[in-house]
Amino acid sequence: MDLKLLDVEPTEAERVVVDLFNGMGRDQLLPALHAVNDRVGWISQGALNHICRVLHVPPAEAYGVASFYSLFSLTERPAKIVHVCVDLACQVNGAKALCDRLTDELGPAGAKSGWLRSPCLGVCEKAPAALAFEAGEVAKEQLLAPTHAGEVIAVAAAGPSPVDGERAEVPQAGDPGLRLLKRVGVVDPESLDDYRATGGYQALRTALLLGPSGVIREVTDAKLMGRGGAAFPTGRKWDATARQPVRPHYLVCNADESEPGTFKDRLLMEGDPFSVIESMTIAGFAAGCSKGYLYLRGEYPLALHLLRNAIAKARERGFLGTNIMGHEGFSFDIEIRRGAGAYICGEETAIFNSIEGFRGEPRSKPPFPVEVGLFGKPTVVNNVETLVNVPVILAEGSEAYTRIGTAGSTGSKLFCLSGNVSRPGVYEVPFGTTLGELLDLAGGVPPGRELRAVLLGGAAGGFVRPDELDLPLTLEDARAAGTTLGSGVVLVLDDTADLGSFLLRIAAFFRDESCGQCVPCRIGTVRQEEALHRLVGKRPLSTGAADLQLLREVGQVMRDSSICGLGQTAWNAIESALDRLGCVESFGHEEAGS
Amino acid sequence: MTIVEIGLPKRLVELTLDGESVRVPEGATILDACTASGKSIPTLCYGDTLKPANACRVCMVEVEGSRTLVPSCSRKVEPGMVVRTDSERTTHSRKLVLELLGSATDLSTTPHVDEWMSACGADPSRFGPSAPPSQDRDERRPGEHEEIDGSVAATVRQPTKVDNPLYVRDYGKCIMCYKCVDACGDQWQNSFAISVAGRGFDARISTEFATPLPDSACVYCGNCIEVCPTGALSFKREHDKREDGTWDESKQTETTTICTFCGVGCNLTLHVQDNEIVKVTSPHESTVTHGNLCIKGRFGWQHVQNR
């Protein structure tokens, strides 16, 4: 392919980092864009040009990819920038006041003033949160959570301090009943010895003895369901992939956790990174994959640091690479891919396009990933939490595993409690625990307040009322109640919460995160936000068009005709608020009469 | 038209289409089956010379057992499939998709769209008055948008791009069907001069850094214009004649001939109005061109009418 490049050259700094990709191909486009962004803080014409020259990518396509991700800037930007979360849990915990202060002191959000508004940063238990970034020879990132305007202003000026001794914490730490979280906050996440001393790598040994089909049988018998939101049977997915004659097979660990209110996978990766690596190795063994990609969202610096360490140590000690644990012929390795600010890349086919160096747009299904996935090959995609259930299953046996939880939902589940709740954090409970019991575990709403509603499952989930707290948290009960457990979000709203603003944020989120590929989602999410603004603000159109009806009709076409789950669920939470919380009447307090 | 490529003999697959039993060759799409049985399904991003993009969602139909509607242009028929093209869900979806498109995009030069809209009672104006054209669509950043109050409906209206003597790009008419990108890229031309950039409602067809076409990899083959379903891309000649009101398709004749520039032998269809060539296309069913041409065949005809 002859490439026609723009007549612009990179700076010396840009050239040096891009030249490291010499001899590589298109699938390194996202890493190369990150490399430039890490070095200089934005992607200039000269830098993009040079990336295209080195990786042999047409410039228009590279531009299309770079302009897809919100963490990249294609216009000049200072090296230091702070991303301030304005999403659901942070909104409930004062993000608006924080942004108002920043606007007063630093100027309106933008590259010039050194701060930007950001969707959910995945640290909802410590809201409000911000992520400071500084480009340089060694890029620095620092999570500020919980934060306040003074701290953001100081860090925006001084730059972040690099990741230090921060440690993952869970409220139940040390509880002997924990299975998925047993090491989080207890063992040293950097130490492979600690991991092995607490049972680490015993499951892989068991797996190697059982053989691939034996592992798949155990996982199938355990009735493990995917924990990323879609709840697909994991065993079936592995089996379907393992049976594909085409080689190679790939494994993708979906760690692009970006559903607002979700932070369980981050806790697992920060608190027990070796278990993620071991679980991926077992999955790779079972499904016949020689390579695994760990697609990590771009906003998790600590998880990135710990996972890199875990992979390096595992490789050093023969837990990754060739002939793993002495098992002749079993080779498997893991490459981390950093996302760059795009919720949609957590969609199971968009993640392939993103890894391959294309825009993170979902693919049309069929064909399904188990047949035609990453690089066109059979691929298993599993969420982090799903995978870390596998060592538990292999350790205790599928039969014992199914005794936890209910018949339709086996095992335990991680829930992300945030919002107006006394002790926010990730909680592990057996499936079947009621929502009320879970809220009690987290101390309920702060003293003196009353529960207004719970958003269950995330922005794509649904609301539950205070009179429905006896809902058993299982896949089947949630479905029957017209909601979903989704990714395990339990976002609590008390009587001080502004439901109208909360719903508007959900609508804005879907508009911002739509990839734009299909009409129902690309335009539907815009019309949904517009109509909701009119409804919440009680400012109907002069034509008198019924906005509630409009919302329902747009919601229906998004659900019926969007390509992927993002568009199909973009109306769920808003519909559920209107139908279950009956909140239309309460809208417009402030704006009424204006 | 040919339902599927003629190759080895194919097994027939039987399916139910709006209550009637239909047999079509294995490998055909639902759209092929509809066409074969005389049902007209609206399409926009579907192209007879391109792989389905699945983007516009105008051709969605209901398939029994499927949670969502399915795109008829790409979904292959399966034995026993029960398809409804006229159910309430299908009609609702088609109406809303057309309304959404019409509310955001100038569809004034999109063929057939008026008929489709009136057939399903679509009214794009019910989303509110259109927002004014914007000057900054090429600079919009992914993941954020200006605060809104719902008083106007956002649109893609923007200034027309005229930066070369052969093409006009009026992206206020663009529905993001991906066809131009596919024709320019690996499906036909392999020039890769344009791509989709940005995200969500701000997604747009763009060269790198929105650089003018003459600085891009464009080779002016015109194959993007050939596949554009809305008139967002047009030949400068046609655009100018439409602007001054002299474009009149009823007065045009089409004559198919063979290009004389090289030995490939591409078919050219000359569109002639008032004894003047006003446009050159190529038949999509031509096995030589599949509707594609190069700059010479597409634009090298001025000498013919130098009188």
Side-chain angles (χ1 to χ4, degrees):
Chain A
M1 190 195 316
D2 283 340
L3 293 182
K4 181 165 191 306
L5 300 171
L6 291 174
D7 194 16
V8 198
E9 288 307 312
T11 64
E12 198 44 40
E14 289 166 345
R15 185 188 301 279
V16 167
V17 293
V18 174
D19 280 344
L20 296 174
F21 291 87
N22 254 321
M24 300 185 195
R26 171 109 191 206
D27 68 302
Q28 291 298 317
L29 180 54
L30 187 51
L33 291 168
H34 263 304
V36 171
N37 191 61
D38 282 351
R39 181 66 189 86
V40 290
W42 67 290
I43 295 155
S44 68
Q45 293 200 12
L48 191 82
N49 230 3
H50 196 52
I51 290 175
C52 291
R53 187 181 291 131
V54 166
L55 297 181
H56 229 67
V57 178
E61 291 204 350
Y63 180 76
V65 172
S67 61
F68 188 83
Y69 296 99
S70 66
L71 290 184
F72 296 145
S73 176
L74 290 153
T75 48
E76 191 164 358
R77 183 160 90 178
K80 286 183 223 141
I81 196 92
V82 185
H83 301 272
V84 180
C85 181
V86 293
D87 227 316
L88 300 175
C90 287
Q91 186 193 64
V92 172
N93 284 289
K96 188 174 178 303
L98 172 64
C99 290
D100 287 348
R101 264 287 303 282
L102 296 179
T103 307
D104 287 347
E105 308 249 338
L106 301 175
K112 262 192 212 143
S113 44
W115 72 285
L116 298 169
R117 289 190 172 83
S118 165
C120 185
L121 290 171
V123 273
C124 317
E125 82 276 32
K126 297 183 206 158
L131 179 68
F133 171 82
E134 184 178 3
E137 281 189 33
V138 180
K140 289 186 279 185
E141 283 176 286
Q142 184 188 4
L143 193 62
L144 312 170
T147 191
H148 51 84
E151 184 182 37
V152 174
I153 291 163
V155 174
S161 319
V163 177
D164 50 19
E166 273 179 75
R167 283 290 173 258
E169 292 164 10
V170 285
Q172 294 163 296
D175 182 334
L178 295 181
R179 303 132 69 82
L180 304 172
L181 295 179
K182 66 181 175 200
R183 293 191 194 90
V184 179
V186 177
V187 304
D188 174 3
E190 303 208 41
S191 163
L192 179 53
D193 292 330
D194 269 24
Y195 181 65
R196 296 189 68 192
T198 48
Y201 279 108
Q202 280 174 17
L204 179 58
R205 188 170 299 283
T206 308
L208 295 174
L209 288 171
L210 286 172
S213 52
V215 175
I216 293 175
R217 194 179 54 239
E218 279 297 293
V219 171
T220 308
D221 290 350
K223 296 195 230 165
L224 176 62
M225 302 288 204
R227 306 288 201 245
F232 191 83
T234 306
R236 250 169 70 195
K237 201 184 264 186
W238 290 13
D239 186 50
T241 307
R243 285 172 188 279
Q244 297 294 323
V246 177
R247 299 278 150 167
H249 295 178
Y250 290 106
L251 170 74
V252 175
C253 171
N254 189 344
D256 191 42
E257 173 172 75
S258 312
E259 180 75 34
T262 314
F263 46 100
K264 63 187 177 66
D265 294 341
R266 176 179 58 80
L267 260 296
L268 286 171
M269 292 184 288
E270 291 179 357
D272 198 4
F274 286 100
S275 82
V276 179
I277 303 307
E278 182 187 0
S279 307
M280 283 182 71
T281 313
I282 297 170
F285 176 67
C289 313
S290 50
K291 177 150 189 190
Y293 285 87
L294 198 161
Y295 191 98
L296 178 69
R297 70 174 300 193
E299 295 87 342
Y300 283 175
L302 181 59
L304 176 67
H305 165 75
L306 291 170
L307 287 165
R308 276 182 176 157
N309 170 70
I311 290 172
K313 290 205 169 130
R315 214 178 268 146
E316 227 168 71
R317 305 268 280 273
F319 292 110
L320 283 175
T322 49
N323 300 333
I324 290 171
M325 286 181 94
H327 192 87
E328 277 296 312
F330 174 45
S331 300
F332 182 76
D333 215 328
I334 297 174
E335 182 176 338
I336 298 179
R337 276 307 163 91
R338 276 158 82 195
Y343 168 70
I344 189 59
C345 289
E347 199 275 344
E348 66 170 356
T349 56
I351 209 168
F352 302 152
N353 282 338
S354 182
I355 293 172
E356 291 178 24
F358 292 88
R359 291 165 55 79
E361 293 172 355
R363 299 175 182 174
S364 203
K365 291 182 276 192
F368 291 93
V370 295
E371 290 176 335
V372 182
L374 184 62
F375 301 112
K377 304 296 182 202
T379 305
V380 167
V381 188
N382 283 137
N383 167 262
V384 175
E385 183 190 350
T386 313
L387 285 170
V388 298
N389 269 278
V390 173
V392 176
I393 292 170
L394 293 184
E396 55 193 42
S398 56
E399 211 198 310
Y401 184 88
T402 54
R403 283 200 292 272
I404 315 265
T406 64
S409 307
T410 57
S412 53
K413 174 83 192 89
L414 301 182
F415 288 99
C416 315
L417 277 98
S418 67
N420 302 128
V421 63
S422 297
R423 288 189 297 279
V426 172
Y427 289 82
E428 178 179 352
V429 291
F431 273 112
T433 305
T434 67
L435 181 55
E437 288 164 350
L438 181 61
L439 291 189
D440 289 345
L441 208 54
V445 295
R449 312 256 191 94
E450 257 185 65
L451 181 65
R452 170 83 172 90
V454 175
L455 176 64
L456 195 59
F463 287 93
V464 178
R465 289 189 305 267
D467 62 323
E468 297 173 306
L469 295 185
D470 54 354
L471 175 76
L473 295 169
T474 67
L475 301 167
E476 58 277 15
D477 289 293
R479 203 175 302 126
T483 177
T484 172
L485 301 186
S487 51
V489 171
V490 179
L491 209 157
V492 184
L493 299 178
D494 67 20
D495 49 0
T496 65
D498 176 353
L499 202 55
S501 306
F502 193 78
L503 294 181
L504 285 171
R505 174 57 210 162
I506 292 178
F509 174 80
F510 281 113
R511 172 180 179 163
D512 284 342
E513 298 301 331
S514 165
C515 78
Q517 187 182 192
C518 70
V519 172
C521 176
R522 180 178 74 236
I523 308 177
T525 53
V526 174
R527 298 294 173 250
Q528 170 171 274
E529 193 199 10
E530 289 165 354
L532 194 64
H533 263 287
R534 297 193 293 268
L535 208 59
V536 171
K538 291 213 190 304
R539 285 181 301 254
L541 289 170
S542 56
T543 55
D547 286 318
L548 206 53
Q549 180 63 19
L550 214 59
L551 274 175
R552 287 190 196 283
E553 292 189 23
V554 170
Q556 189 64 39
V557 74
M558 289 197 287
R559 183 173 292 161
D560 278 344
S561 295
S562 296
I563 292 177
C564 79
L566 187 152
Q568 288 162 14
T569 60
W571 149 244
N572 283 6
I574 294 164
E575 178 187 39
S576 123
L578 299 176
D579 288 346
R580 299 170 68 98
L581 303 182
C583 54
V584 180
E585 295 72 26
S586 65
F587 287 153
H589 285 317
E590 308 97 81
E591 291 89 344
S594 69
Chain B
M1 67 167 263
T2 319
I3 291 174
V4 286
E5 251 179 60
I6 297 174
L8 293 170
K10 288 198 166 123
R11 214 155 43 111
L12 289 179
V13 174
E14 190 162 342
L15 69 152
T16 311
L17 196 56
D18 291 333
E20 280 175 40
S21 186
V22 180
R23 282 152 65 88
V24 291
E26 191 175 32
T29 62
I30 297 175
L31 182 64
D32 293 331
C34 290
T35 310
S37 33
K39 275 180 207 304
S40 151
I41 304 285
T43 61
L44 284 168
C45 73
Y46 167 79
D48 55 353
T49 60
L50 296 162
K51 289 182 199 145
N54 290 304
C56 78
R57 318 306 269 186
V58 179
C59 74
M60 303 298 279
V61 295
E62 197 165 347
V63 171
E64 218 174 83
S66 170
R67 184 173 47 86
T68 58
L69 301 179
V70 307
S72 62
C73 68
S74 66
R75 181 60 64 85
K76 300 252 193 325
V77 294
E78 288 160 33
M81 214 178 213
V82 179
V83 179
R84 293 225 71 99
T85 68
D86 57 357
S87 67
E88 206 184 310
R89 256 176 106 196
T90 311
T91 317
H92 175 267
S93 170
R94 189 174 305 156
K95 175 182 167 209
L96 262 290
V97 166
L98 290 170
E99 283 182 333
L100 291 172
L101 277 174
S103 69
T105 328
D106 171 5
L107 298 179
S108 61
T109 50
T110 306
H112 312 299
V113 77
D114 288 344
E115 305 151 38
W116 301 337
M117 288 226 189
S118 55
C120 58
D123 171 20
S125 71
R126 66 192 182 115
F127 297 110
S130 296
S134 31
Q135 310 290 323
D136 69 339
R137 276 192 66 83
D138 287 333
E139 285 97 52
R140 300 239 181 119
R141 293 181 34 77
E144 60 184 46
H145 62 277
E146 297 220 328
E147 271 188 50
I148 59 159
D149 64 5
S151 58
V152 291
T155 75
V156 301
R157 290 200 294 163
Q158 57 192 296
T160 304
K161 287 184 162 71
V162 189
D163 54 15
N164 70 86
L166 299 178
Y167 292 2
V168 174
R169 296 179 290 155
D170 184 358
Y171 288 129
K173 292 178 172 176
C174 176
I175 59 161
M176 297 297 293
C177 70
Y178 289 65
K179 282 159 89 173
C180 57
V181 175
D182 290 343
C184 185
D186 62 356
Q187 290 189 35
W188 289 119
Q189 193 61 31
N190 286 292
S191 286
F192 302 95
I194 45 173
S195 170
V196 177
R199 195 168 81 194
F201 192 72
D202 298 333
R204 57 209 177 249
I205 307 297
S206 182
T207 56
E208 60 275 22
F209 294 97
T211 194
L213 224 42
D215 299 334
S216 77
C218 178
V219 296
Y220 301 95
C221 62
N223 296 333
C224 53
I225 298 173
E226 179 63 39
V227 295
C228 177
T230 65
L233 302 179
S234 62
F235 299 111
K236 180 85 171 25
R237 178 77 158 200
E238 174 175 344
H239 178 262
D240 290 350
K241 284 182 89 67
R242 279 184 191 274
E243 289 284 282
D244 64 22
T246 57
W247 181 261
D248 185 354
E249 281 178 15
S250 68
K251 284 167 67 185
Q252 292 173 13
T253 59
E254 294 180 15
T255 308
T256 298
T257 177
I258 292 175
C259 182
T260 54
F261 277 109
C262 78
V264 173
C266 295
N267 288 120
L268 299 182
T269 301
L270 309 178
H271 300 245
V272 177
Q273 179 181 328
D274 302 326
N275 203 26
E276 201 183 10
I277 300 170
V278 290
K279 178 161 83 173
V280 173
T281 59
S282 182
H284 287 200
E285 56 275 17
S286 161
T287 51
V288 182
T289 68
H290 298 280
N292 299 301
L293 290 171
C294 75
I295 183 172
K296 290 186 269 184
R298 186 81 73 182
F299 296 106
W301 38 263
Q302 273 80 3
H303 63 283
V304 176
Q305 42 212 36
N306 274 349
R307 302 192 177 93

